[in-house]
PDB file of all heavy atoms in Angstrom:
ATOM      1  N   LEU A  18      15.391 104.559  68.393  1.00  0.00           N
ATOM      2  CA  LEU A  18      14.655 104.747  67.148  1.00  0.00           C
ATOM      3  C   LEU A  18      14.694 103.425  66.385  1.00  0.00           C
ATOM      4  O   LEU A  18      15.765 102.937  66.047  1.00  0.00           O
ATOM      5  CB  LEU A  18      15.299 105.857  66.322  1.00  0.00           C
ATOM      6  CG  LEU A  18      15.457 107.201  67.045  1.00  0.00           C
ATOM      7  CD1 LEU A  18      16.322 108.146  66.243  1.00  0.00           C
ATOM      8  CD2 LEU A  18      14.103 107.819  67.333  1.00  0.00           C
ATOM      9  N   HIS A  19      13.520 102.850  66.110  1.00  0.00           N
ATOM     10  CA  HIS A  19      13.495 101.504  65.557  1.00  0.00           C
ATOM     11  C   HIS A  19      13.228 101.417  64.057  1.00  0.00           C
ATOM     12  O   HIS A  19      13.891 100.666  63.361  1.00  0.00           O
ATOM     13  CB  HIS A  19      12.480 100.643  66.304  1.00  0.00           C
ATOM     14  CG  HIS A  19      12.859 100.444  67.733  1.00  0.00           C
ATOM     15  ND1 HIS A  19      11.962 100.472  68.756  1.00  0.00           N
ATOM     16  CD2 HIS A  19      14.065 100.249  68.307  1.00  0.00           C
ATOM     17  CE1 HIS A  19      12.579 100.288  69.908  1.00  0.00           C
ATOM     18  NE2 HIS A  19      13.862 100.161  69.667  1.00  0.00           N
ATOM     19  N   THR A  20      12.266 102.154  63.536  1.00  0.00           N
ATOM     20  CA  THR A  20      11.943 102.040  62.122  1.00  0.00           C
ATOM     21  C   THR A  20      11.726 103.423  61.528  1.00  0.00           C
ATOM     22  O   THR A  20      10.908 104.197  62.039  1.00  0.00           O
ATOM     23  CB  THR A  20      10.657 101.212  61.915  1.00  0.00           C
ATOM     24  OG1 THR A  20      10.822  99.940  62.518  1.00  0.00           O
ATOM     25  CG2 THR A  20      10.342 101.032  60.441  1.00  0.00           C
ATOM     26  N   LEU A  21      12.447 103.716  60.451  1.00  0.00           N
ATOM     27  CA  LEU A  21      12.237 104.967  59.736  1.00  0.00           C
ATOM     28  C   LEU A  21      10.918 104.850  58.975  1.00  0.00           C
ATOM     29  O   LEU A  21      10.751 103.975  58.130  1.00  0.00           O
ATOM     30  CB  LEU A  21      13.391 105.238  58.771  1.00  0.00           C
ATOM     31  CG  LEU A  21      13.288 106.516  57.946  1.00  0.00           C
ATOM     32  CD1 LEU A  21      13.279 107.741  58.843  1.00  0.00           C
ATOM     33  CD2 LEU A  21      14.442 106.582  56.948  1.00  0.00           C
ATOM     34  N   VAL A  22       9.956 105.723  59.295  1.00  0.00           N
ATOM     35  CA  VAL A  22       8.627 105.672  58.699  1.00  0.00           C
ATOM     36  C   VAL A  22       8.533 106.590  57.490  1.00  0.00           C
ATOM     37  O   VAL A  22       7.976 106.230  56.459  1.00  0.00           O
ATOM     38  CB  VAL A  22       7.556 106.051  59.750  1.00  0.00           C
ATOM     39  CG1 VAL A  22       6.176 106.111  59.142  1.00  0.00           C
ATOM     40  CG2 VAL A  22       7.595 105.080  60.912  1.00  0.00           C
ATOM     41  N   SER A  23       9.109 107.784  57.608  1.00  0.00           N
ATOM     42  CA  SER A  23       9.056 108.725  56.486  1.00  0.00           C
ATOM     43  C   SER A  23      10.182 109.748  56.608  1.00  0.00           C
ATOM     44  O   SER A  23      10.789 109.910  57.660  1.00  0.00           O
ATOM     45  CB  SER A  23       7.703 109.444  56.441  1.00  0.00           C
ATOM     46  OG  SER A  23       7.534 110.248  57.581  1.00  0.00           O
ATOM     47  N   GLN A  24      10.417 110.417  55.480  1.00  0.00           N
ATOM     48  CA  GLN A  24      11.434 111.464  55.442  1.00  0.00           C
ATOM     49  C   GLN A  24      10.930 112.577  54.538  1.00  0.00           C
ATOM     50  O   GLN A  24      10.459 112.325  53.427  1.00  0.00           O
ATOM     51  CB  GLN A  24      12.754 110.922  54.908  1.00  0.00           C
ATOM     52  CG  GLN A  24      13.839 111.965  54.819  1.00  0.00           C
ATOM     53  CD  GLN A  24      15.179 111.400  54.371  1.00  0.00           C
ATOM     54  OE1 GLN A  24      15.306 110.197  54.146  1.00  0.00           O
ATOM     55  NE2 GLN A  24      16.154 112.257  54.242  1.00  0.00           N
ATOM     56  N   ALA A  25      11.022 113.818  55.003  1.00  0.00           N
ATOM     57  CA  ALA A  25      10.675 114.998  54.221  1.00  0.00           C
ATOM     58  C   ALA A  25      11.818 115.989  54.396  1.00  0.00           C
ATOM     59  O   ALA A  25      11.927 116.641  55.426  1.00  0.00           O
ATOM     60  CB  ALA A  25       9.353 115.593  54.688  1.00  0.00           C
ATOM     61  N   GLY A  26      12.683 116.038  53.407  1.00  0.00           N
ATOM     62  CA  GLY A  26      13.871 116.889  53.515  1.00  0.00           C
ATOM     63  C   GLY A  26      14.775 116.378  54.618  1.00  0.00           C
ATOM     64  O   GLY A  26      15.160 115.217  54.623  1.00  0.00           O
ATOM     65  N   ASP A  27      15.084 117.237  55.585  1.00  0.00           N
ATOM     66  CA  ASP A  27      15.950 116.806  56.683  1.00  0.00           C
ATOM     67  C   ASP A  27      15.154 116.398  57.932  1.00  0.00           C
ATOM     68  O   ASP A  27      15.713 116.250  59.015  1.00  0.00           O
ATOM     69  CB  ASP A  27      16.975 117.891  57.030  1.00  0.00           C
ATOM     70  CG  ASP A  27      16.338 119.195  57.497  1.00  0.00           C
ATOM     71  OD1 ASP A  27      15.095 119.312  57.422  1.00  0.00           O
ATOM     72  OD2 ASP A  27      17.076 120.089  57.928  1.00  0.00           O
ATOM     73  N   VAL A  28      13.848 116.184  57.787  1.00  0.00           N
ATOM     74  CA  VAL A  28      13.007 115.742  58.897  1.00  0.00           C
ATOM     75  C   VAL A  28      12.723 114.255  58.734  1.00  0.00           C
ATOM     76  O   VAL A  28      12.197 113.810  57.716  1.00  0.00           O
ATOM     77  CB  VAL A  28      11.672 116.527  58.944  1.00  0.00           C
ATOM     78  CG1 VAL A  28      10.770 115.993  60.037  1.00  0.00           C
ATOM     79  CG2 VAL A  28      11.948 118.013  59.153  1.00  0.00           C
TER      80      VAL A  28
END
Side-chain angles (χ1 to χ4, degrees):
L18 305 170
H19 296 139
T20 303
L21 179 62
V22 176
S23 65
Q24 179 176 359
D27 61 353
V28 176

